[in-house]
Each structure stands twice: as structure tokens, then as C-alpha cells.
């Protein structure tokens, strides 16, 4: 199972790692907005250049990014086929056995491919440079005002943090169970689709049991430590903005305005 898209937090001492998590969440959200509203070459060049700078500053492995993009290659291929069949905008470029390929279809394929790559890359860098605890603190701090109107934002942030923490763990547990089944002679690549589905049943049952066991252990640990959703919790690390955080805010806002106006 490919878990490149669900990357673990990699603790490093880089500029990107040291940014306030609130800034990183804000930056990623508006970067994704920019990716989907960008249309011309100049706008995509700015977004790609920005991504390259972020990758270099965060010391993210290019090989890991490539593997992450490979994980969505089937999705890109499927979307490209849809464009070739249904997109009839523009002029006819090729005609084979009565099947016409339009310029609009090729443009759509190019746009969706670049957008998919940029989205995956920025999300991988974000997950690799921001720990689940930081994400939780950022959400809780940013949406803390909702607590005053009765919305349990602290509980929501905790659930989100635990979910993000458990995804890589469950993937590792799945890989371990698959390897154990393969060592016993199971082959998950042979047979019809129905047979392949049946072969995954021996994986789902122990995975379900292992997940419940881990959840029970986590609940017990939180109870022993006296965790309460109603009490006021102190913070080991208090979030504070610095000059680089403000500069990052300004940068993504300026780029967003530029892409909207061009």
C-alpha cells in the first residue's frame, strides 16, 4: 500500500518547520485556491516557483514528492481520458477513425495535471513540516471564539489530531498484516475482482481488531492522565507570531490578489 500521500511529520530545524502552524494552514488554503483559479502560464510559473522555494527551504526530499505524485497517476490518467472524450472546445487537432481530439481537451489535460501535482506537493510538504499537535493548536487557537457560542472546538481539534496521528499507524499496521499474509502464501494479485475482494477479508478483520485495541489503549491513557473535555487546558507551547510569519501572510495575500486581477 502506498502511503506517500499520508506523510509523517519529519522533525527538522528549517524555516518552514519553524513557521507558526496558523500561518501554514492559512498559506496552504489560499495556495490551493490560487491553484484552481490560476489559468495562464505566468500564474502557474509563480505557483511552481513558490512551491520549489518551499520544498528547498523545508528540505523535503524530491524523491518523496515524485512518489506522492505517482500515487495519483491513475486519477490523472482517468481525468485525462474524460477530457479527451467529452471536451470538444477549441479547434480539431487530430482525427483518428472519426474520433476528434480538440485543442481544448489538451489544454484541460495540461491544466488538471499541473493542478493535481501542485495540490499533492503542497499538502505533502505541509504534512511533513507540521505535526498533528501543531495542527490541533492552530485550529483551536484560530477558531477559539466558537467556544464562546457553545461549539466544542477543543474537542473537535483533539479528534482531528488523533485522526491524523492514527492514519500512518493504520497504514503501517495494514502493511504488516499484508506482509504476514504474503509470507504464508497469499497472493493478492491473482484471480478475479471478486476473488481479490475476498482475499482482503483476512486483512480487514485483524486490522479492525488492532485499531480498536489501539483506540482503547489511547482512551485508557487519556483517562489515567486525567484528561477532561470540560476543563481549561494549559499549553506546553504557546503560539506566537514573528516577523517571518507576518511576511508569509503578506506574500500569499499579494500573490492571491495578483492571480485574481491578472
Amino acid at each position: 500500500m502506498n502511503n506517500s500521500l499520508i506523510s509523517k511529520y519529519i522533525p527538522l530545524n528549517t524555516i518552514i518547520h519553524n513557521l507558526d502552524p496558523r500561518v501554514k494552514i492559512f498559506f496552504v488554503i489560499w495556495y490551493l485556491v490560487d491553484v484552481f483559479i490560476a489559468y495562464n502560464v505566468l500564474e502557474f510559473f509563480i505557483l511552481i516557483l513558490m512551491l520549489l522555494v518551499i520544498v528547498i527551504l523545508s528540505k523535503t526530499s524530491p524523491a518523496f514528492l515524485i512518489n506522492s505524485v505517482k500515487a495519483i497517476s491513475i486519477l490523472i490518467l482517468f481525468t485525462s481520458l474524460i477530457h479527451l472524450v467529452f471536451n470538444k472546445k477549441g479547434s480539431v487537432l487530430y482525427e483518428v477513425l472519426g474520433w476528434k481530439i480538440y485543442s481544448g481537451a489538451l489544454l484541460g489535460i495540461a491544466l488538471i495535471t499541473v493542478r493535481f501535482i501542485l495540490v499533492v506537493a503542497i499538502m505533502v510538504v505541509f504534512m511533513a513540516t507540521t505535526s498533528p499537535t501543531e495542527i490541533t493548536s492552530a485550529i483551536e487557537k484560530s477558531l477559539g471564539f466558537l467556544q464562546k457560542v457553545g461549539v466544542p472546538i477543543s474537542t473537535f481539534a483533539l479528534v482531528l489530531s488523533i485522526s491524523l496521528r492514527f492514519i500512518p499507524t493504520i497504514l503501517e499496521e495494514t502493511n504488516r498484516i499484508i506482509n504476514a499474509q504474503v509470507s504464508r502464501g497469499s497472493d493478492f494479485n491473482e484471480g478475479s475482482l471478486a476473488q481479490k475482494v475476498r482475499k482482503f477479508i483476512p486483512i480487514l478483520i485483524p486490522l479492525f481488531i488492532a485499531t480498536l485495541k489501539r483506540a482503547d489503549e489511547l482512551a485508557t491513557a487519556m483517562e489515567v492522565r486525567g484528561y477532561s473535555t470540560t476543563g481549561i487546558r494549559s499549553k506546553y507551547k504557546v503560539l506566537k507570531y514573528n516577523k517571518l510569519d507576518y511576511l508569509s501572510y503578506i506574500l500569499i495575500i499579494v500573490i492571491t490578489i495578483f492571480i485574481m486581477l491578472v
Side-chain angles (χ1 to χ4, degrees):
M1 182 178 293
N2 193 317
N3 60 352
S4 298
L5 292 177
I6 314 296
S7 62
K8 287 185 177 180
Y9 170 64
I10 303 173
L12 296 173
N13 185 23
T14 68
I15 294 176
I16 305 300
H17 282 76
N18 294 331
L19 285 174
D20 191 289
R22 293 170 293 179
V23 175
K24 286 187 274 189
I25 292 176
F26 182 86
F27 193 99
V28 168
I29 290 174
W30 282 105
Y31 186 89
L32 295 178
V33 171
D34 293 342
V35 166
F36 285 100
I37 64 176
Y39 194 80
N40 61 48
V41 176
L42 176 60
E43 293 169 352
F44 279 109
F45 174 78
I46 293 174
L47 293 174
I48 293 172
L49 180 62
M50 184 190 306
L51 178 63
L52 291 176
V53 172
I54 293 173
V55 170
I56 294 172
L57 293 178
S58 65
K59 298 181 180 179
T60 304
S61 171
F64 185 74
L65 290 176
I66 293 174
N67 289 333
S68 300
V69 173
K70 287 181 180 178
I72 62 165
S73 57
I74 296 178
L75 179 60
I76 294 176
L77 178 60
F78 177 73
T79 308
S80 300
L81 290 175
I82 291 178
H83 274 280
L84 287 176
V85 174
F86 297 104
N87 193 331
K88 300 184 182 303
K89 296 180 180 179
S91 58
V92 178
L93 297 179
Y94 302 100
E95 184 173 355
V96 180
L97 300 176
W99 180 36
K100 299 178 181 180
I101 299 178
Y102 293 83
S103 59
L106 297 183
L107 177 60
I109 291 173
L111 288 175
I112 202 66
T113 300
V114 174
R115 283 168 176 163
F116 273 142
I117 293 174
L118 292 178
V119 167
V120 170
I122 195 66
M123 290 305 301
V124 168
V125 173
F126 172 71
M127 296 301 295
T129 58
T130 313
S131 68
T133 303
E134 289 178 331
I135 295 175
T136 303
S137 300
I139 294 175
E140 190 173 355
K141 186 75 172 178
S142 301
L143 303 179
F145 64 93
L146 295 176
Q147 198 83 25
K148 299 179 179 179
V149 295
V151 178
I153 194 64
S154 298
T155 304
F156 170 75
L158 175 66
V159 171
L160 178 61
S161 175
I162 294 175
S163 301
L164 293 174
R165 172 64 183 85
F166 262 72
I167 289 175
T169 303
I170 292 175
L171 290 176
E172 289 180 0
E173 188 73 23
T174 304
N175 285 328
R176 186 184 66 81
I177 296 173
I178 290 176
N179 292 334
Q181 295 291 338
V182 171
S183 66
R184 292 178 173 85
S186 298
D187 190 347
F188 297 95
N189 297 320
E190 293 184 353
S192 62
L193 179 61
Q195 291 174 336
K196 291 180 180 179
V197 172
R198 283 197 296 269
K199 289 179 181 179
F200 270 93
I201 294 178
I203 296 175
L204 296 177
I205 295 175
L207 178 63
F208 184 71
I209 295 174
T211 303
L212 288 179
K213 183 179 179 181
R214 289 180 181 273
D216 182 65
E217 292 173 351
L218 177 62
T220 302
M222 293 175 64
E223 185 178 356
V224 169
R225 288 169 173 78
Y227 178 82
S228 174
T229 57
T230 58
I232 300 176
R233 300 176 59 199
S234 59
K235 299 293 183 182
Y236 175 74
K237 183 179 180 181
V238 180
L239 298 180
K240 292 182 179 180
Y241 288 125
N242 55 41
K243 294 181 180 179
L244 194 57
D245 294 321
Y246 291 116
L247 182 61
S248 301
Y249 273 128
I250 295 173
L251 176 63
I252 191 63
I253 291 173
V254 169
I255 290 176
T256 301
I257 294 174
F258 174 78
I259 291 177
M260 287 182 175
L261 296 179
V262 171

